[in-house]
Amino acid sequence: MSFVARPSIEEIDAPPESEDVIVNDGFFPDVDPADIRAAARIPSTITPLRLRGAIVGAIMTILSDLQGFATASIAAGHATLAAVPAPQIDGASVRIHAYRRAVALFAKAELVERHRDFDSTAAGANQATELEGSIGDLRRDAHHAIRDILGRTRTTVDLI
């Protein structure tokens, strides 16, 4: 019988020593992986490289949804998302908060989806099933944050 060493709770919760900021396109804010790690409760068992990849993927997803908004905002004279008129909360534009939220949620969804245990027991199968709903919730909330940036409602209703 063999045993696998598991990290202690302190090792899991301790953030990595240093993670470089991800430089964005100039309109959208740069992203600090440490902030995303803390906001999304991503444990240190996720390597900095894996987290960075998930964040870059999240930024690319968001960019595809917000490119038109960014172009229109720049044409209106707003060089950055922070310069677009919006209410301020905790010293920052609500659009900045929504952008960071969307990045954290999309990144977390990707990590949860890709970082499952390779447990083939019934407990492992049940855990994977439970995570499916969580991944959907994370993506839904990220899309809500994008809609908040765009100033759109979160629900579309059609009369059938």
Side-chain angles (χ1 to χ4, degrees):
M1 176 179 252
S2 65
F3 293 95
V4 176
R6 297 191 182 228
S8 69
I9 295 298
E10 293 79 23
E11 291 172 314
I12 291 172
D13 290 339
E17 290 180 22
S18 170
E19 295 177 282
D20 293 333
V21 169
I22 297 169
V23 178
N24 216 326
D25 67 352
F27 179 79
F28 294 105
D30 296 344
V31 178
D32 185 344
D35 292 343
I36 299 300
R37 189 180 290 279
R41 297 181 349 175
I42 297 169
S44 63
T45 54
I46 302 296
T47 65
L49 186 59
R50 182 170 281 197
L51 176 59
R52 188 174 197 84
I55 292 170
V56 168
I59 290 170
M60 292 184 327
T61 299
I62 295 164
L63 183 60
S64 69
D65 288 337
L66 294 178
Q67 189 62 57
F69 172 81
T71 301
S73 296
I74 292 168
H78 309 295
T80 64
L81 182 61
V84 176
Q88 302 284 308
I89 296 177
D90 198 25
S93 162
V94 294
R95 286 189 167 103
I96 295 292
H97 289 296
Y99 182 81
R100 289 181 181 141
R101 180 173 166 77
V103 170
L105 290 165
F106 275 131
K108 175 90 178 215
E110 180 176 325
L111 291 169
V112 169
E113 187 172 50
R114 303 276 185 252
H115 192 72
R116 295 183 188 174
D117 288 337
F118 295 101
D119 185 350
S120 59
T121 65
N126 288 339
Q127 182 183 15
T129 302
E130 290 172 14
L131 289 175
E132 289 298 326
S134 171
I135 293 165
D137 291 347
L138 290 165
R139 288 198 174 113
R140 178 204 61 217
D141 291 347
H143 284 291
H144 285 177
I146 290 170
R147 294 186 71 78
D148 290 346
I149 293 168
L150 295 170
R152 294 185 186 154
T153 60
R154 295 181 177 188
T155 306
T156 302
V157 179
D158 288 324
L159 183 60
I160 301 176

